[in-house]
Amino acid sequence: MNTLSYGLLALLSVKPRTGYELMQQIQPLWRAKHSQIYPLLAKLEQLGCVRFVQVTQKEKPDKKIYSITETGLAKLRSWLPEQADEPVKRDELLLKAYCLSLAEPRQARHLIAERRALFQNHLAKYNAQLAELKRETGLSDGEPGLRSPYFGNYILIKRAIAGAQLELEWCSWVMHILDEEQGQCAERPEP
Amino acid sequence: MNTLSYGLLALLSVKPRTGYELMQQIQPLWRAKHSQIYPLLAKLEQLGCVRFVQVTQKEKPDKKIYSITETGLAKLRSWLPEQADEPVKRDELLLKAYCLSLAEPRQARHLIAERRALFQNHLAKYNAQLAELKRETGLSDGEPGLRSPYFGNYILIKRAIAGAQLELEWCSWVMHILDEEQGQCAERPEP
DNA sequence: TGTTCCATGTAATTCGTTACATGATTAA
DNA sequence: TTAATCATGTAACGAATTACATGGAACA
């Protein structure tokens, strides 16, 4: 059982989900495609960590709703206190940012603008998730307590929002520098 | 040529480095082991994107100092304006955080404390890098301009510092919540 | 009429990690 | 004396992406 398998169990420990939902909802924590998740769910089922009920839908494809078993919960609990690996980050934009002085100013601005747009979308999604979580838990202003199964989701959404905001601030800061240098060129064109 | 290959070229566009140095210095942007980097450098050399000079050292193993060629620079420049892929994040701690309500309170605190220690180390390293960059560029207080080859490194270090600080703030915030709930138990033991 | 969403799966390929290999120097 | 740093490489394995495959509903 690899780390992603434990991640799937982690999501299922809060509430049952389909493979499709797991694929979508695990993204902010652990990037994975559906082609990786479906085979792992089948393995977890063989191991007795999860079970599923097949639901036939009209107007939509059939689906399997997975839930965690006692065996799965035990596996999760024994994995939890183990030391977590360092987070993995691979960010192509940062590689480009490293040699940004090679790019033409408007290319540079375009790259940063794209990143800004991306994280504006992320931020909107995270805010929507926070609103939905408050609906789900029935807490309009307070926060779910440590023992609530939604506690983890709550602290992660708050983290994601702060992270997206920081990303946007960095983009603004870089854009300002780019604009300043650009402005100087416009005011003082080269002789 | 994959993304990591371009990343190596990006680092080499600022100054020549050994494979070992490339392996270390690309980590904050793109996690990779030496076993992945050395073969890529050999390929880049075959493609004419980089060249190296072998340096024999006394008291230390021999090394190859790689530098970028005109061909490599051209490749870099044509890659730069292409749209950057979304960043990849895989963070085991966040998977554990998601089901933190399953952990015993002291296990939970231990997990967060470990993360805090990790990023305290990161923060110290980034601050040291900022100081070294200021030495290298000779700028004691100002920032390298957009056209400086150190501009990219500068904005990335600033970004990394802000990111590490945010991570530490999140850890503190979570720890506070954990401590409060713990405190309540201590004050009001269950009947 | 083309794209996105829902929903699941497999196969081929590339990417990334771990392990194997060597070896001297220095700090704890 | 055990580990870490410097320094390079290859081989085996596991993990992750892309492509192949299907199909109806809603939306623009």
Side-chain angles (χ1 to χ4, degrees), chain A residues 173 177 180-181, chain B residues 139 141-146 151 154 158:
Chain A
W173 177 68
I177 301 179
E180 271 174 34
E181 304 247 349
Chain B
L139 299 166
D141 46 297
E143 48 202 40
L146 170 54
F151 175 73
Y154 173 69
K158 293 288 266 186

Side-chain angles (χ1 to χ4, degrees), chain A residues 1-11 13 26 29-30 71-85, chain B residues 91-100 102-103 107 111 114:
Chain A
M1 275 199 14
N2 59 20
T3 307
L4 179 53
S5 303
Y6 286 106
L8 296 172
L9 291 181
L11 294 221
S13 76
I26 209 170
L29 316 178
W30 193 278
T71 310
L73 264 176
K75 275 269 172 71
L76 241 197
R77 273 191 244 264
S78 68
W79 166 76
L80 257 178
E82 284 175 27
Q83 189 170 344
D85 276 355
Chain B
D91 194 337
E92 187 174 1
L93 184 89
L94 301 191
L95 299 177
K96 297 192 181 207
Y98 193 92
C99 54
L100 206 60
L102 288 180
Q107 286 179 349
L111 281 170
E114 266 178 357

Side-chain angles (χ1 to χ4, degrees), chain B residues 171-188:
Chain B
C171 289
S172 296
W173 177 66
V174 174
M175 287 287 254
H176 267 109
I177 301 180
L178 298 179
D179 288 343
E180 272 174 33
E181 305 247 349
Q182 186 68 3
Q184 280 175 11
C185 288
E187 280 160 29
R188 286 197 242 162

